[in-house]
C-alpha cells in the first residue's frame, strides 16, 4: 500500500515561489499516476496538476498553467510541484494523490500541506 506525505508548504508573498514535495512509501508508487489537488477556504477541492508514471505526460488546470510545474523522481519515490508567480488565489491546502493507471479515481491521499500567499 502506498502512503503519501506532502511537505514544502508555507507562507510566501505574492509573486514568490514554493516547491512542494510528495514523498511516497511503497514500490507501487513508480507505476502510479500522481496528482496535486488543492482546497481553498470555503471552496471545493480542485485539480491542480497530474503526472504519468513515467513522467512524460503531464496535465494542468488552466489556472496554474505556465506557473506550476509537476515532476517526479521515481528513484526517490517523490513527486514535486514547483510553483512560481504565486498569488493570494493560490492559498489553499495542497494534497497529493495517487492512482493506478486503470483506476478512474485517486484512491490514496496525503494529509495535505498549507500554502498561504500574502498580498
Amino acid at each position: 500500500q502506498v502512503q503519501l506525505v506532502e511537505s514544502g508548504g508555507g507562507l510566501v508573498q505574492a509573486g514568490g515561489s514554493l516547491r512542494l514535495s510528495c514523498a511516497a512509501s511503497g514500490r507501487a508508487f513508480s507505476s502510479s499516476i500522481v496528482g496535486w489537488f488543492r482546497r481553498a477556504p470555503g471552496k471545493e477541492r480542485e485539480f491542480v496538476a497530474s503526472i504519468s508514471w513515467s513522467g512524460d505526460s503531464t496535465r494542468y488546470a488552466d489556472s496554474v498553467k505556465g506557473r506550476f510545474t509537476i515532476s517526479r523522481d521515481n528513484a526517490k519515490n517523490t513527486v514535486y510541484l514547483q510553483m512560481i508567480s504565486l498569488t493570494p488565489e493560490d492559498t489553499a491546502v495542497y494534497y497529493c494523490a495517487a492512482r493506478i493507471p486503470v483506476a478512474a479515481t485517486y484512491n490514496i491521499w496525503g494529509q495535505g500541506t498549507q500554502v498561504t500567499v500574502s498580498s
Side-chain angles (χ1 to χ4, degrees), residues 8-105:
L11 174 64
V12 63
Q13 289 188 330
S17 303
L18 281 175
R19 188 177 79 158
L20 305 183
S21 297
C22 173
S25 62
R27 290 183 292 178
F29 180 76
S30 61
S31 60
S32 298
I33 293 170
V34 177
W36 283 97
F37 296 77
R38 65 186 182 187
R39 186 193 300 271
K43 295 186 177 181
E44 297 290 319
R45 184 176 64 198
E46 65 173 352
F47 168 81
V48 175
S50 65
I51 188 166
S52 63
W53 67 271
S54 63
D56 61 0
S57 178
T58 57
R59 290 178 57 229
Y60 296 93
D62 288 342
S63 59
V64 307
K65 280 181 181 177
R67 299 188 300 121
F68 291 12
T69 302
I70 189 170
S71 62
R72 69 190 297 164
D73 185 341
N74 286 337
K76 296 182 178 180
N77 268 11
T78 303
V79 170
Y80 305 97
L81 186 68
Q82 178 69 51
M83 307 184 294
I84 66 171
S85 302
L86 286 163
T87 74
E89 288 67 39
D90 295 314
T91 294
V93 178
Y94 284 72
Y95 301 88
C96 68
R99 65 179 177 89
I100 59 175
V102 296
T105 59

